[in-house]
Amino acid sequence: MPPLSSGQQGGEGRWQPLEVPWTHTNIPPQCVQPCCRPLCYEQSEHRLHKSSQMKMEEMSLSGLDNSKLEAIAQEIYADLVEDSCLGFCFEVHRAVKCGYFFLDDTDPESMKDFEIVDQPGLDIFGQVFNQWKSKECVCPNCSRSIAASRFAPHLEKCLGMGRNSSRIANRRIANSNNMNKSESDQEDNDDINDNDWSYGSEKKAKKRKSDKLWYLPFQNPTPRRSKSLKHKNGELSNSDPFKYNNSTGISYETLGPEELRSLLTTQCGVISEHTKKMCTRSLRCPQHTDEQRRTVRIYFLGSSAVLPEVESSLDNDSFDMTDSQALISRLQWDGSSDLSPSDSGSSKTSENQGWGLGTNSSESRKTKKKKSHLSLVGTASGLGSNKKKKPKPPAPPTPSIYDDIN
Amino acid sequence: MCKDYVYDRDIEQIAKEEQGSFEITASTSTEVSHQQYSVPGLGEKYPTWETTKPELELLGHNPRRRRIASSFTIGLRGLINLGNTCFMNCIVQALTHTPILRDFFLSDRHRCEMPSPELCLVCEMSSLFRELYSGNPSPHVPYKLLHLVWIHARHLAGYRQQDAHEFLIAALDVLHRHCKGDDAGKAASNPNHCNCIIDQIFTGGLQSDVTCQACHGVSTTIDPCWDISLDLPGSCTSFWPMSPGRESSVNGESHIPGITTLTDCLRRFTRPEHLGSSAKIKCGSCQSYQESTKQLTMNKLPVVACFHFKRFEHSAKQRRKITTYISFPLELDMTPFMASSKESRMNGQLQLPTNSGNDENKYSLFAVVNHQEPWRVATTPASSGTTRTSGSSVMMPSSPRPVLRTLDSEGYLLFYHKQVLEHESEKVKEVNTQAY
């Protein structure tokens, strides 16, 4: 193989021009078989003694002195080396000639771009953690833009696959016959989407360990629910479930006695110490005990006040925390104090603040008339949907053996 | 005359055709592709890829290259948790780091024949591979994948934490069903044996031999399987006859007395088992009801072997998770668990793999899925000694001694990749996973 010109040496100069006596080999490049013979000086000596035919000249080996023998051994050694390299050289030669020799090298720019970063506080791309909270995607079913971390619960409802979706649908159908028009506007403000968690039965209304933060996509993602939970569904229907959210508290100062009374027949009503507002959850709300409820009623309505019976079918603790688009439109009372998101930073639970949305039972329609005063306040979803004010959020939903096990 | 070698394409073409009809032994090797083809005497040659002129021009105009190597981020990308979907993210990471699957999808081998391609899960996988190997540092949002899986595998639909193993099987099933297009030429030859990429990679053959105790007739059935589910010590229903750690460490697992190894689990899985007098089987050869023994072995090993530890127990009253630590090796030889090694097992001996150079049944670990809150997966470019772990969306660099850490973790799903692949006509192609 003739020596390649210097311009074709690899940038590193890793091989040198060879002079291979190819007259006796005659190997066309395609059929080259790289020689795998181990290169060994002793072997070349061995070969020397055995392969005198390979030599061009006739020599009588016995008459040679050591230095000549060594020279011949050296030459054979060089032959062996070259034979071994031959295949490789042909390939490189071919690659260079056909122009694809340097194709596979990574260009230095790419090397820098894609190199793995290994520093504390950064991920492998050199980015700071947790900056990806606001990713959004488009739901393939309804074509709405949904926050990525809320996509799964949204999709469940969107496809009608959730546990509750069929119940909601049935309710919708049932109630659509009963709805009257004047309330239908206000109905729009209701959020009846079922929530993804349920309260325990009354027995479990007292402190449950599920009081811990329940929807933490970046933390413990396993919500808990025991089997005995009944899922209470929301009511009806709103075709725009994502617009509104349930809120939890009512400022009772502004309510008249009549309203109070009706409210207390359908809702929990216990006044939160933190917000000084009444709880709008169902009469079986696990946040508060029956004692508390009785106390409130006595306080407002006199000692004859009775805790009303609860029909489970009317209970509704639903709220929707799916889309961020769902944004947090909250309804607030005019002039009420700002419902500042006093959340614990990591929690995304949507605790209901303010009032209205998500109410609860059908009787609370009366109280909904107040909504005319309300203004919709959309709050930006910094962390996602609602900020919770209540320190103890309700229990999350799904049971799964993996959750319990954890 | 410069005496230089000249390469003429026409002559080469003629040469190729002529060579095809002769027996030759040819081997070529290039430093870059790390592959060696050895074709013992069958005339069909697998040449290295060479560019054509238009390709050359194209490559010249676009000098930037992306390499999949252990020091580059290509192939690594976080996945956003869509709401309790980290089990899915783990499986996706494991699948996208499967070397042979990666090669299939990145070379665009899928031909979609679904009536509506937007519902094809294989197409979505294809685009997923493109996304994850793009080098894009921001995490990917696999919402389309979730949507498709829920549509096609209804039993998985629903917002809740789920089992990664269940998801894996369902996903493989859907992919298998949607792979019809790639099968085109071969389907006709064997209608019972699907030749889609999923079957080629994941399907192994589990052989079940029932031996009649009276006449010693053996009835054999071979079932396709996508994974091997292993019982663990410490479960209520398992019968664990061997004291763990008794045998010498077969596969180089870290061997501490009292620690169960993957090999122990496999040994138990493939042991002959007496079925008991309450389960007499009608023997085909002696036509009578007799007691029998049953033994499971591997008849055909899949390219990618997935081992599933049965950590979740459902008894009548409770569900619990078995947290027994199982030690598993980086390299695994499945020879002792094959059907062909059965005779030596009958005596209760485990045939230890010899270093005979038979690499056919050797596997390398490339992904581990753990069920510790939250689901995590560690994937490793095999034998490079580094791992990347990913939770939901963050790709963490490997920490010092990452290999040990992975091996110390409480494994739930283990993914092993064969080191040597065979072609149908028994040509041997060696895949060096270090090229990863």
mmCIF file of all heavy atoms in Angstrom, chain A residues 347-365:
data_model
loop_
_atom_site.group_PDB
_atom_site.id
_atom_site.type_symbol
_atom_site.label_atom_id
_atom_site.label_comp_id
_atom_site.label_asym_id
_atom_site.label_seq_id
_atom_site.Cartn_x
_atom_site.Cartn_y
_atom_site.Cartn_z
ATOM 1 N N SER A 347 -47.758 22.714 49.269
ATOM 2 C CA SER A 347 -49.023 22.033 49.074
ATOM 3 C C SER A 347 -49.779 22.581 47.902
ATOM 4 O O SER A 347 -49.776 23.755 47.643
ATOM 5 C CB SER A 347 -49.868 22.197 50.317
ATOM 6 O OG SER A 347 -51.207 21.996 49.983
ATOM 7 N N LYS A 348 -50.417 21.733 47.245
ATOM 8 C CA LYS A 348 -51.243 22.209 46.151
ATOM 9 C C LYS A 348 -52.692 21.915 46.427
ATOM 10 O O LYS A 348 -53.522 21.897 45.553
ATOM 11 C CB LYS A 348 -50.856 21.480 44.880
ATOM 12 C CG LYS A 348 -49.545 21.933 44.363
ATOM 13 C CD LYS A 348 -49.428 21.581 42.933
ATOM 14 C CE LYS A 348 -48.091 22.015 42.415
ATOM 15 N NZ LYS A 348 -48.046 21.960 40.988
ATOM 16 N N THR A 349 -52.967 21.658 47.627
ATOM 17 C CA THR A 349 -54.355 21.277 47.876
ATOM 18 C C THR A 349 -55.236 22.450 47.614
ATOM 19 O O THR A 349 -54.893 23.595 47.860
ATOM 20 C CB THR A 349 -54.545 20.899 49.330
ATOM 21 O OG1 THR A 349 -54.071 21.965 50.122
ATOM 22 C CG2 THR A 349 -53.752 19.674 49.635
ATOM 23 N N SER A 350 -56.335 22.140 47.152
ATOM 24 C CA SER A 350 -57.213 23.257 46.907
ATOM 25 C C SER A 350 -58.176 23.299 48.036
ATOM 26 O O SER A 350 -59.149 22.588 48.099
ATOM 27 C CB SER A 350 -57.952 23.058 45.622
ATOM 28 O OG SER A 350 -58.372 21.748 45.571
ATOM 29 N N GLU A 351 -57.897 24.040 48.906
ATOM 30 C CA GLU A 351 -58.763 24.231 50.017
ATOM 31 C C GLU A 351 -59.592 25.361 49.588
ATOM 32 O O GLU A 351 -59.130 26.290 48.986
ATOM 33 C CB GLU A 351 -57.989 24.670 51.214
ATOM 34 C CG GLU A 351 -57.829 23.592 52.146
ATOM 35 C CD GLU A 351 -59.103 22.835 52.397
ATOM 36 O OE1 GLU A 351 -59.788 23.082 53.090
ATOM 37 O OE2 GLU A 351 -59.519 21.958 51.945
ATOM 38 N N ASN A 352 -60.757 25.292 49.944
ATOM 39 C CA ASN A 352 -61.613 26.344 49.459
ATOM 40 C C ASN A 352 -61.643 27.511 50.371
ATOM 41 O O ASN A 352 -61.787 27.403 51.552
ATOM 42 C CB ASN A 352 -63.009 25.793 49.335
ATOM 43 C CG ASN A 352 -62.930 24.570 48.484
ATOM 44 O OD1 ASN A 352 -62.164 24.543 47.554
ATOM 45 N ND2 ASN A 352 -63.663 23.567 48.839
ATOM 46 N N GLN A 353 -61.499 28.560 49.776
ATOM 47 C CA GLN A 353 -61.563 29.798 50.532
ATOM 48 C C GLN A 353 -62.757 30.502 50.010
ATOM 49 O O GLN A 353 -63.327 30.134 49.045
ATOM 50 C CB GLN A 353 -60.379 30.665 50.202
ATOM 51 C CG GLN A 353 -59.110 29.944 50.392
ATOM 52 C CD GLN A 353 -58.833 29.806 51.807
ATOM 53 O OE1 GLN A 353 -59.336 30.562 52.600
ATOM 54 N NE2 GLN A 353 -58.037 28.858 52.157
ATOM 55 N N GLY A 354 -63.078 31.537 50.550
ATOM 56 C CA GLY A 354 -64.112 32.332 49.934
ATOM 57 C C GLY A 354 -65.267 31.473 49.682
ATOM 58 O O GLY A 354 -65.392 30.404 50.213
ATOM 59 N N TRP A 355 -66.139 31.830 48.906
ATOM 60 C CA TRP A 355 -67.395 31.158 49.003
ATOM 61 C C TRP A 355 -67.975 30.881 47.681
ATOM 62 O O TRP A 355 -67.667 31.510 46.721
ATOM 63 C CB TRP A 355 -68.211 32.077 49.855
ATOM 64 C CG TRP A 355 -69.421 32.516 49.331
ATOM 65 C CD1 TRP A 355 -69.632 33.630 48.662
ATOM 66 C CD2 TRP A 355 -70.622 31.877 49.524
ATOM 67 N NE1 TRP A 355 -70.920 33.748 48.458
ATOM 68 C CE2 TRP A 355 -71.568 32.682 48.974
ATOM 69 C CE3 TRP A 355 -71.000 30.682 50.138
ATOM 70 C CZ2 TRP A 355 -72.876 32.350 49.016
ATOM 71 C CZ3 TRP A 355 -72.294 30.379 50.170
ATOM 72 C CH2 TRP A 355 -73.227 31.217 49.603
ATOM 73 N N GLY A 356 -68.743 30.007 47.700
ATOM 74 C CA GLY A 356 -69.528 29.853 46.561
ATOM 75 C C GLY A 356 -69.256 28.717 45.806
ATOM 76 O O GLY A 356 -70.098 27.934 45.609
ATOM 77 N N LEU A 357 -68.275 28.596 45.200
ATOM 78 C CA LEU A 357 -68.251 27.672 44.283
ATOM 79 C C LEU A 357 -68.505 26.379 44.633
ATOM 80 O O LEU A 357 -68.866 25.694 44.155
ATOM 81 C CB LEU A 357 -66.980 27.632 43.667
ATOM 82 C CG LEU A 357 -66.967 28.662 42.834
ATOM 83 C CD1 LEU A 357 -65.912 28.410 42.065
ATOM 84 C CD2 LEU A 357 -68.203 28.907 42.320
ATOM 85 N N GLY A 358 -68.197 25.949 45.183
ATOM 86 C CA GLY A 358 -68.345 24.647 45.098
ATOM 87 C C GLY A 358 -69.199 24.240 45.988
ATOM 88 O O GLY A 358 -69.020 23.609 46.826
ATOM 89 N N THR A 359 -70.227 24.616 45.986
ATOM 90 C CA THR A 359 -71.013 24.194 47.001
ATOM 91 C C THR A 359 -71.631 23.037 46.742
ATOM 92 O O THR A 359 -71.616 22.455 45.825
ATOM 93 C CB THR A 359 -72.102 24.992 47.264
ATOM 94 O OG1 THR A 359 -72.166 25.444 46.094
ATOM 95 C CG2 THR A 359 -71.820 25.911 48.116
ATOM 96 N N ASN A 360 -72.163 22.967 47.724
ATOM 97 C CA ASN A 360 -72.388 21.698 48.246
ATOM 98 C C ASN A 360 -73.727 21.186 48.003
ATOM 99 O O ASN A 360 -73.952 20.529 47.065
ATOM 100 C CB ASN A 360 -71.958 21.699 49.637
ATOM 101 C CG ASN A 360 -70.516 22.073 49.554
ATOM 102 O OD1 ASN A 360 -69.978 21.925 48.478
ATOM 103 N ND2 ASN A 360 -69.927 22.550 50.544
ATOM 104 N N SER A 361 -74.645 21.429 48.702
ATOM 105 C CA SER A 361 -75.862 20.679 48.417
ATOM 106 C C SER A 361 -76.831 21.495 47.614
ATOM 107 O O SER A 361 -76.674 22.684 47.426
ATOM 108 C CB SER A 361 -76.516 20.232 49.705
ATOM 109 O OG SER A 361 -76.586 21.340 50.537
ATOM 110 N N SER A 362 -77.819 20.895 47.199
ATOM 111 C CA SER A 362 -78.729 21.608 46.318
ATOM 112 C C SER A 362 -79.496 22.676 47.065
ATOM 113 O O SER A 362 -79.896 23.674 46.500
ATOM 114 C CB SER A 362 -79.693 20.620 45.663
ATOM 115 O OG SER A 362 -80.108 19.678 46.619
ATOM 116 N N GLU A 363 -79.668 22.462 48.326
ATOM 117 C CA GLU A 363 -80.413 23.483 49.062
ATOM 118 C C GLU A 363 -79.676 24.777 49.137
ATOM 119 O O GLU A 363 -80.243 25.829 49.310
ATOM 120 C CB GLU A 363 -80.697 23.034 50.490
ATOM 121 C CG GLU A 363 -81.929 22.194 50.589
ATOM 122 C CD GLU A 363 -81.615 20.755 50.232
ATOM 123 O OE1 GLU A 363 -80.448 20.486 49.835
ATOM 124 O OE2 GLU A 363 -82.500 19.921 50.345
ATOM 125 N N SER A 364 -78.423 24.685 49.001
ATOM 126 C CA SER A 364 -77.650 25.912 49.151
ATOM 127 C C SER A 364 -77.855 26.837 47.976
ATOM 128 O O SER A 364 -77.232 27.853 47.851
ATOM 129 C CB SER A 364 -76.175 25.592 49.296
ATOM 130 O OG SER A 364 -75.751 24.871 48.176
ATOM 131 N N ARG A 365 -78.744 26.466 47.160
ATOM 132 C CA ARG A 365 -79.054 27.376 46.069
ATOM 133 C C ARG A 365 -79.537 28.705 46.569
ATOM 134 O O ARG A 365 -79.339 29.728 45.971
ATOM 135 C CB ARG A 365 -80.145 26.777 45.207
ATOM 136 C CG ARG A 365 -79.558 25.942 44.110
ATOM 137 C CD ARG A 365 -80.620 25.360 43.286
ATOM 138 N NE ARG A 365 -80.244 24.031 42.907
ATOM 139 C CZ ARG A 365 -81.079 23.142 42.437
ATOM 140 N NH1 ARG A 365 -82.341 23.433 42.339
ATOM 141 N NH2 ARG A 365 -80.668 21.961 42.091
#
